Structure formats: C-alpha cells, structure tokens
Amino acid sequence: PPDQALRICVVVPARNEEGLVGACLRALAEQEGVSYEEYEILLVLDGCTDGTEARARDLAASYPALRLYLLDGPGKGSGHARLVGMEIACDRLLAVGRLHTLISSTDADTVVAPDWISAQLAAQNLGRGRSAAA
C-alpha cells in the first residue's frame, strides 16, 4: 500500500532503455528537499527485450528506502505506457485520500534536476495559495 505521506507519483515509461534508465532512476533517487515517503516512482516496462528491468532492480538495491515499482506496459509505445502508469498513480494517491497531489512524468532516457520533485511540489503549493486567496 502507498505511504500515508505520499504527495507525488512519478511515472516513467521505458522500452529498451538499459543504457540510460540507471541515470534516470539515480537522479530520481537522489532528489533534494523531499523524503522517500513523499514520492514514489512507477517505472512502466513497455515490452522491454533488453536489460532495462535488471538495471532498474540493481539501482533499487542501492537505494533500499526508494519506492520504485515496476509495472508491465501494454507494449504500444510511450503514450500508452504513460497512461497505464498515470492510472495506477491516480489509484494509489486516491487510496491514501490525496485529492490535491501530483502525478508527474519523465522519460527513462532523461536525467531530471536534483530539485525537480521539490520544485513541482512548491509550485503546486503556490498555485493553491492563489486559488484560496482569489
């Protein structure tokens, strides 16, 4: 079950990204300004025929507190895989009663900034403050 502190799910579709997924997941594992309890990563393996899954499992072993979940994608491309991940992310956030949280996405061949998640959470909080004041 999701942690009660969960504030954001990150969906990462991947197809045959063995050479790049490690850097992507490492960048997500080393986020600044956010605890592992506040986010989780949903890696959607979309018909991988290489070692993408093994790389992801190896990296996860290096970060035991990281909440990394491997999902099977439909094998129809990144858009369909992203949708699978986003639907599961929505279900997980709703399961902990989080109506005002985020679902974010990046690609398995991307390395996000060290404050990527915390910046999104901060922007969300600013946006809610404006809505409440209006």
Side-chain angles (χ1 to χ4, degrees):
D3 193 288
Q4 288 296 314
L6 183 61
R7 297 176 61 202
I8 183 170
C9 288
V10 179
V11 176
V12 183
R15 177 181 281 174
N16 296 337
E17 297 288 358
E18 178 181 6
L20 300 170
V21 74
C24 172
L25 295 176
R26 188 172 302 104
L28 290 168
E30 296 177 355
Q31 287 294 292
E32 300 168 356
V34 63
S35 70
Y36 285 136
E37 293 80 19
E38 294 177 282
Y39 73 101
E40 59 185 32
I41 303 162
L42 306 176
L43 180 65
V44 185
L45 301 167
D46 195 44
C48 295
T49 58
D50 67 353
T52 301
E53 180 177 352
R55 281 288 162 102
R57 289 187 187 282
D58 288 345
L59 186 113
S62 300
Y63 298 90
L66 181 67
R67 299 177 193 299
L68 172 64
Y69 301 99
L70 306 182
L71 310 172
D72 290 325
K76 295 181 179 180
S78 63
H80 293 279
R82 198 177 316 274
L83 177 61
V84 165
M86 289 189 165
E87 287 175 343
I88 291 172
C90 184
D91 290 343
R92 292 181 63 76
L93 290 164
L94 290 175
V96 292
R98 299 290 186 177
L99 303 178
H100 301 288
T101 55
L102 295 175
I103 298 172
S104 196
S105 186
T106 190
D107 294 319
D109 61 355
T110 301
V111 175
V112 298
D115 66 343
W116 186 70
I117 291 175
S118 61
Q120 290 179 67
L121 291 170
Q124 177 201 28
N125 288 336
L126 284 174
R128 277 200 310 219
R130 287 190 195 122
S131 297

